[in-house]
Amino acid sequence: MEPDTRLLFMEEALIEARAAGRRGDLAVGAVVVAGKRIVGRGGNEATSSGDPTAHAEVVALRDFARRMPDANSVAATMFTTFEPCPMCLGACLLMRLETVVVGGRRRADDRAWGDYRPELLAVMSAAGGPRLQVRQGPLADECLITRGPARPADPGAEVRR
């Protein structure tokens, strides 16, 4: 995919992220692309919907599946504004996406899941099925700024640990 096209699709994912942020959700967005056409889109809805699985990537995959009943057999790429969590990357593997293009990434000291990186999970999963490519995309800084902090400060967090 050409650099200009990648930029366009990441900008579309950012539109979804900003909409999620306006709803009060974590500002992450994703679009699914087949050929040069957006076939699925979504923003994080986990807070506003009360569904903890309604991450941007899953919402976009659900939209893709609704629009294209044969979605599992369509060569598709996802553009997401932030690196997908293990659940979301697993959903991408199950949907048989070819590539996930990532905008922002966690800082080295912000590893909620230890040393998890989407690239490692994709490689570990490749032995038993289709190989998913994870690539760095454009607009990483803008994606991180749009997302903001993962959670607002929780004064009780230290007490619970």
Side-chain angles (χ1 to χ4, degrees):
M1 202 171 278
E2 303 89 43
D4 288 346
T5 306
R6 291 168 34 116
L7 184 64
L8 171 77
F9 292 132
M10 192 59 77
E11 287 171 344
E12 289 293 319
L14 276 163
I15 289 169
E16 295 296 325
R18 290 184 192 107
R22 285 191 299 276
R23 283 192 304 273
D25 288 290
L26 185 60
V28 176
V31 295
V32 180
V33 176
K36 293 187 178 192
R37 192 172 67 109
I38 294 175
V39 293
R41 56 175 60 239
N44 190 326
E45 299 175 1
T47 301
S48 62
S49 71
D51 177 356
T53 68
H55 293 191
E57 297 88 350
V58 171
V59 172
L61 289 172
R62 289 173 181 162
D63 186 40
F64 176 38
R66 269 191 300 274
R67 291 184 194 202
M68 303 188 81
D70 61 343
N72 280 358
S73 63
V74 173
T77 296
M78 175 179 285
F79 289 78
T80 181
T81 60
F82 195 72
E83 70 179 19
C85 74
M87 175 190 71
C88 292
L89 194 72
C92 292
L93 286 160
L94 290 171
M95 189 59 86
R96 299 175 188 239
L97 295 183
E98 290 185 342
T99 307
V100 173
V101 180
V102 177
R105 294 196 178 250
R106 295 182 186 283
R107 296 183 323 264
D109 64 343
D110 177 21
R111 291 283 170 204
W113 303 291
D115 195 29
Y116 164 79
R117 288 186 300 260
E119 293 85 352
L120 294 178
L121 182 56
V123 167
M124 288 177 5
S125 303
R131 178 148 182 144
L132 174 68
Q133 299 293 316
V134 178
R135 305 256 186 251
Q136 180 62 51
L139 303 174
D141 290 341
E142 187 172 350
C143 289
L144 285 172
I145 291 166
T146 299
R147 177 179 178 263
R151 295 175 190 80
D154 178 359
E158 290 301 317
V159 175
R160 287 194 293 273
R161 287 188 188 154

